[in-house]
C-alpha cells in the first residue's frame, strides 16, 4: 500500500513538472518581414483591422492557443513553423499541449501592432535549439543517421543526450559528437563540423537499367536509364521506377578507387490477365501483328492495349480486335468466327468467259446479288464469222452488189435467284433480255450492207457456280434464247446464211465477287 501511494505521488509530481516545461526562449519583431501586410497572407480581426502575425518555431505540433479576451484570429500550420494571427494590441497568450503541459498568460515583451510580423521560439523542456554549420557550405547534414538538409541547419531542436552530426559534400566528410544537457544555456547553441578530403575512399559508380527507367537515390531522381557518380566505399541501395510498374530496389557495394558498374533490376510492369475463348476453339491467333498466341490458355500480360487477329480455314478471319489489359484484372471475351459463305447471298461481282454458240465470242459480265436475287449485265464480243452472204438489188433485176460476212455481238440483261446447293456449289436460274447486233465485213464488192442489224431475244437459262476460293467462282451458264423481233436486214441475212436470232449457248468462265 505504501508503494502504491509513493507511485501516485511520483506520477503527480512528474505531471506537475511536465506542466511547467513550455517556455518562450525568444520573442521579437521582424522588422523586414512584411508577411502580415502582404495580399493573400494578411488577415483581419473581428473589428476589420489587419491582424499581427506571430511565426512560432516549435519542435512539435499539436499546440493550442488562447489570446484571452481579445481572442485569436487564426492559426495555420506552415512548413516548419506555426503561423498565429492575433489582434493588434494583444497583451498575452496561453500556450497548451497535451504532452508538454501549459504556459499560462505569457505577456508579450514588445507591443503588438497590426500588419506586423513577429517571431517566437518555444522550448518544450526536453532539449535545446542548435544551429549546425559545416566547413563546406551546402554540405548534406545527417543528425544521428537521419538526413536533415543542407548546411547551415538553423534552429534545429535536439533532445537532451548524445548526438552525432555528419557533413558530406562531394569527397569532403566530417563528423562530430556532442552532448545536449540540462546544464546548457537556453540560448542557441552553435555546432561546427570540420571536413577533410576523403578521395582515397571513393569509387566511380555507373548504374544502368533497362527501358530508360528512373533511377532514385536517397529520395531523388538522379537519372533515366543510366547514372554516373562517385560514392564513398560502402553499401548502398537504389530504386528504379516507371509508370505502370512496381518499383524495384537493388543493393550494391562500392569499392574505393574502382570503376563500379551496377546493373539495376528494372521496375516490374503491372500485369493483368487476358482470357479469350473462341468458337471454334482451335482458331489460329496472333497478338500485335505477328506474334502467335495460344488462346486455349489464359495469359498474364503487361497492362496495355493489344490487337488480336484470328483465322481458321473455312471461317471468316477477324483482325484488329482490341483488348485492354488492366492491372490485377482479367479481361474476358468470347469470339465466334462465322463460316465462310462461298456462295454469297449479297455481293458485287465481275467476270469473263467464252460463249460457245454459233458465232460465239468473248463474254464479259458484271452484276450484284441482294438477298440472293441476282442482277446481271453482260456483253459478248463476237469472234466467229458467218458464211458469206451475197447481196443483190431489190429492184427486180437481181443485180449483184457485194458479198458480206458477219460477226454477232450480244448485250444481255438477266435476273435470277440464287440457290446454294452445298457450301461451294450454287445455281442461279435466269430470265433474260438480249440485243443481238451484227457487224459486217466486205468479202467481195465495194458496198457494206446489213452492218448494225439488230435482233431482240428473250432467254431462259441458269448459271452454275463452283467456288474453289472464298471470292472466286468458276461458272457454266447454259441458256436458250428465242428471237422476238428483227429488223429487215437481220431478217434478210438470216434467210441467206447460217445466222439465226437466239439459239442455244453455253458460257464458261470465272467470276470475282466482293
Amino acid at each position: 500500500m505504501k508503494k502504491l501511494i509513493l507511485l501516485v505521488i511520483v506520477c503527480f509530481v512528474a505531471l506537475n513538472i511536465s506542466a511547467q516545461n513550455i517556455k518562450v526562449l525568444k520573442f521579437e519583431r521582424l522588422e523586414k518581414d512584411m508577411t502580415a501586410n502582404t495580399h493573400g497572407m494578411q488577415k483581419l480581426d473581428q473589428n476589420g483591422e489587419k491582424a499581427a502575425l506571430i511565426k512560432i518555431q516549435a519542435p512539435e505540433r499539436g499546440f493550442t492557443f488562447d489570446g484571452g479576451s481579445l481572442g485569436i484570429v487564426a492559426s495555420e500550420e506552415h512548413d516548419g513553423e506555426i503561423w498565429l494571427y492575433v489582434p493588434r494590441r494583444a497583451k498575452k497568450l496561453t500556450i497548451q499541449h497535451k504532452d508538454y503541459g501549459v504556459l499560462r498568460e505569457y505577456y508579450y515583451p514588445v507591443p503588438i501592432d497590426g500588419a506586423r510580423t513577429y517571431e517566437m521560439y518555444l522550448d518544450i523542456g526536453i532539449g535545446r535549439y542548435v544551429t549546425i554549420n559545416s566547413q563546406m557550405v551546402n554540405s548534406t547534414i545527417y543528425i544521428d543517421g537521419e538526413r536533415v538538409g543542407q548546411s547551415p541547419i538553423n534552429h534545429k531542436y535536439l533532445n537532451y543526450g548524445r548526438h552525432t552530426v555528419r557533413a558530406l559534400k562531394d569527397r569532403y566528410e566530417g563528423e562530430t559528437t556532442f552532448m545536449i544537457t540540462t546544464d546548457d544555456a537556453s540560448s542557441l547553441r552553435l555546432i561546427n563540423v570540420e571536413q577533410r578530403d576523403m578521395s582515397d575512399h571513393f569509387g566511380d559508380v555507373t548504374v544502368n537499367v533497362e527501358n530508360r527507367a528512373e533511377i532514385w537515390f536517397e529520395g531523388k531522381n538522379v537519372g533515366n536509364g543510366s547514372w554516373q557518380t562517385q560514392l564513398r566505399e560502402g553499401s548502398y541501395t537504389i530504386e528504379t521506377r516507371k509508370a505502370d510498374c512496381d518499383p524495384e530496389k537493388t543493393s550494391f557495394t562500392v569499392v574505393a578507387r574502382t570503376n563500379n558498374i551496377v546493373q539495376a533490376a528494372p521496375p516490374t510492369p503491372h500485369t493483368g490477365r487476358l482470357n479469350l475463348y473462341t468458337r471454334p476453339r482451335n482458331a489460329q491467333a496472333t497478338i500485335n501483328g505477328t506474334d502467335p498466341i495460344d488462346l486455349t490458355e489464359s495469359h498474364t500480360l503487361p497492362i496495355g492495349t493489344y490487337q488480336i487477329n484470328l483465322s481458321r480455314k473455312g471461317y471468316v478471319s477477324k483482325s484488329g480486335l482490341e483488348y485492354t489489359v488492366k492491372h490485377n484484372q482479367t479481361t474476358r471475351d468470347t469470339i465466334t468466327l462465322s463460316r465462310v459463305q462461298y456462295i454469297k447471298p449479297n455481293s458485287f461481282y465481275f467476270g469473263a468467259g467464252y460463249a460457245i454458240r454459233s458465232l460465239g465470242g468473248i463474254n464479259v459480265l458484271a452484276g450484284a446479288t441482294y438477298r440472293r436475287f441476282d442482277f446481271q449485265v453482260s456483253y459478248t464480243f463476237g469472234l466467229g464469222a458467218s458464211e458469206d452472204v451475197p447481196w443483190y438489188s431489190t429492184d427486180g433485176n437481181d443485180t449483184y452488189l457485194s458479198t458480206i460476212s458477219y460477226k454477232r455481238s450480244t448485250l444481255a440483261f438477266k435476273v435470277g435467284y440464287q440457290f446454294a446447293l452445298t457450301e461451294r456449289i450454287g445455281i442461279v436460274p435466269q430470265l433474260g433480255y438480249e440485243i443481238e447486233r451484227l457487224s459486217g465485213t466486205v468479202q467481195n464488192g465495194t458496198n457494206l450492207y446489213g452492218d448494225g442489224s439488230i435482233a431482240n431475244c428473250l432467254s431462259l437459262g441458269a448459271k452454275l457456280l463452283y467456288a474453289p476460293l472464298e471470292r472466286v467462282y468458276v461458272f457454266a451458264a447454259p441458256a436458250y434464247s428465242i428471237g422476238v423481233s428483227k429488223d429487215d436486214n437481220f431478217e434478210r441475212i438470216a434467210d441467206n446464211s447460217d445466222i439465226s436470232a437466239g439459239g442455244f449457248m453455253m458460257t464458261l468462265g470465272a467470276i470475282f465477287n466482293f
Side-chain angles (χ1 to χ4, degrees):
M1 186 64 180
K2 291 181 179 180
K3 291 183 179 180
L4 180 59
I5 295 173
L6 181 60
L7 180 60
V8 171
I9 294 172
V10 170
C11 292
F12 178 79
V13 171
L15 289 173
N16 188 54
I17 292 174
S18 70
Q20 306 303 320
N21 280 347
I22 300 177
K23 299 176 183 178
V24 176
L25 296 182
K26 178 181 178 183
F27 188 95
E28 63 182 359
R29 186 158 75 178
L30 302 177
E31 298 293 347
K32 296 182 180 180
D33 191 328
M34 304 303 295
T35 306
N37 199 29
T38 302
H39 179 71
M41 298 182 187
Q42 65 185 17
K43 295 187 183 298
L44 303 180
D45 63 19
Q46 61 184 359
N47 297 319
E49 297 177 335
K50 294 180 181 179
L53 169 60
I54 304 174
K55 293 183 176 180
I56 301 176
Q57 309 294 328
E60 297 289 342
R61 293 295 179 264
F63 290 93
T64 59
F65 304 94
D66 183 359
S69 60
L70 293 180
I72 300 294
V73 176
S75 176
E76 298 177 352
E77 296 283 345
H78 283 259
D79 187 20
E81 59 188 9
I82 305 166
W83 286 14
L84 186 70
Y85 290 89
V86 300
R88 71 184 188 91
R89 294 192 299 274
K91 300 299 182 182
K92 60 183 179 179
L93 181 67
T94 294
I95 306 170
Q96 190 170 4
H97 193 281
K98 65 182 182 63
D99 295 324
Y100 301 107
V102 60
L103 173 61
R104 299 187 186 279
E105 297 187 345
Y106 169 77
Y107 283 87
Y108 301 116
V110 296
I112 301 299
D113 296 324
R116 300 306 298 265
T117 305
Y118 300 81
E119 186 174 55
M120 172 188 285
Y121 280 85
L122 287 183
D123 179 6
I124 58 176
I126 61 174
R128 291 288 184 267
Y129 282 98
V130 176
T131 290
I132 299 173
N133 285 323
S134 61
Q135 184 179 348
M136 305 293 292
V137 179
N138 296 328
S139 295
T140 301
I141 301 298
Y142 295 83
I143 299 178
D144 299 330
E146 179 185 358
R147 181 176 178 172
V148 295
Q150 291 184 318
S151 62
I153 303 297
N154 295 312
H155 308 109
K156 177 69 175 177
Y157 194 88
L158 297 179
N159 294 349
Y160 294 128
R162 182 182 297 274
H163 299 277
T164 300
V165 175
R166 190 179 182 202
L168 304 177
K169 184 175 182 181
D170 299 329
R171 297 189 178 193
Y172 287 85
E173 295 183 11
E175 184 176 294
T176 186
T177 300
F178 60 94
M179 291 288 295
I180 301 290
T181 70
T182 56
D183 295 332
D184 293 339
S186 60
S187 59
L188 187 67
R189 182 169 177 179
L190 181 63
I191 303 295
N192 288 307
V193 182
E194 294 185 0
Q195 296 167 273
R196 62 189 181 92
D197 190 350
M198 302 291 288
S199 297
D200 290 344
H201 295 271
F202 278 75
D204 294 323
V205 177
T206 300
V207 178
N208 298 314
V209 63
E210 298 174 357
N211 300 325
R212 289 191 55 79
E214 296 177 354
I215 302 172
W216 286 72
F217 180 70
E218 293 186 343
K220 292 184 178 180
N221 181 1
V222 294
N224 289 359
S226 181
W227 174 50
Q228 291 183 327
T229 188
Q230 293 177 331
L231 295 175
R232 198 181 195 284
E233 58 189 354
S235 297
Y236 299 88
T237 299
I238 59 170
E239 185 175 83
T240 55
R241 303 178 186 177
K242 196 169 186 179
D244 297 324
C245 296
D246 291 325
E248 289 291 339
K249 292 184 177 181
T250 300
S251 297
F252 61 96
T253 300
V254 174
V255 178
R257 291 178 293 180
T258 301
N259 187 13
N260 301 267
I261 299 177
V262 180
Q263 187 64 40
T268 303
H270 290 167
T271 61
R273 297 187 66 80
L274 181 64
N275 190 356
L276 301 180
Y277 181 85
T278 64
R279 296 193 181 102
R281 193 73 180 110
N282 55 344
Q284 302 296 314
T286 60
I287 186 170
N288 287 348
T290 59
D291 298 330
I293 184 172
D294 183 5
L295 295 186
T296 60
E297 301 177 352
S298 180
H299 294 268
T300 299
L301 299 172
I303 64 173
T305 299
Y306 296 86
Q307 287 194 341
I308 302 295
N309 299 330
L310 296 175
S311 63
R312 189 177 188 275
K313 187 177 181 180
Y315 290 82
V316 178
S317 299
K318 289 190 176 183
S319 61
L321 301 175
E322 286 195 352
Y323 294 94
T324 299
V325 175
K326 297 182 179 180
H327 185 37
N328 289 337
Q329 297 183 24
T330 300
T331 301
R332 294 184 173 87
D333 193 20
T334 298
I335 309 167
T336 300
L337 297 179
S338 302
R339 293 191 67 87
V340 173
Q341 284 189 304
Y342 290 97
I343 308 300
K344 298 183 180 301
N346 300 288
S347 69
F348 294 96
Y349 62 84
F350 67 91
Y354 188 81
I356 303 172
R357 63 176 301 187
S358 172
L359 307 184
I362 298 296
N363 177 268
V364 293
L365 59 92
T369 56
Y370 177 70
R371 294 185 177 179
R372 299 198 180 278
F373 285 96
D374 187 297
F375 304 92
Q376 176 183 304
V377 60
S378 65
Y379 191 84
T380 302
F381 298 89
L383 298 179
S386 68
E387 297 176 351
D388 291 344
V389 178
W391 283 80
Y392 298 91
S393 65
T394 58
D395 56 4
N397 296 323
D398 292 334
T399 302
Y400 174 76
L401 300 175
S402 291
T403 299
I404 313 294
S405 65
Y406 297 93
K407 294 180 180 180
R408 173 168 50 192
S409 297
T410 303
L411 175 65
F413 302 92
K414 296 183 179 181
V415 62
Y417 188 81
Q418 180 191 92
F419 296 93
L421 303 180
T422 68
E423 186 180 78
R424 294 177 182 265
I425 297 176
I427 189 170
V428 183
Q430 291 178 310
L431 181 65
Y433 172 74
E434 300 175 352
I435 301 173
E436 297 183 349
R437 182 181 184 279
L438 300 180
S439 57
T441 302
V442 177
Q443 302 297 326
N444 188 22
T446 58
N447 295 326
L448 178 61
Y449 297 98
D451 185 58
S453 300
I454 297 294
N456 298 297
C457 305
L458 294 178
S459 68
L460 182 65
K463 183 169 58 177
L464 183 65
L465 304 171
Y466 171 71
L469 302 173
E470 182 180 351
R471 299 190 179 278
V472 177
Y473 297 145
V474 292
F475 72 93
Y480 186 80
S481 58
I482 301 173
V484 294
S485 67
K486 310 169 193 172
D487 63 18
D488 291 340
N489 284 337
F490 197 104
E491 186 76 34
R492 183 174 178 181
I493 293 169
D495 291 342
N496 293 279
S497 70
D498 58 347
I499 297 175
S500 62
F504 179 80
M505 72 179 70
M506 171 70 76
T507 304
L508 303 175
I511 291 174
F512 300 92
N513 59 76
F514 303 91

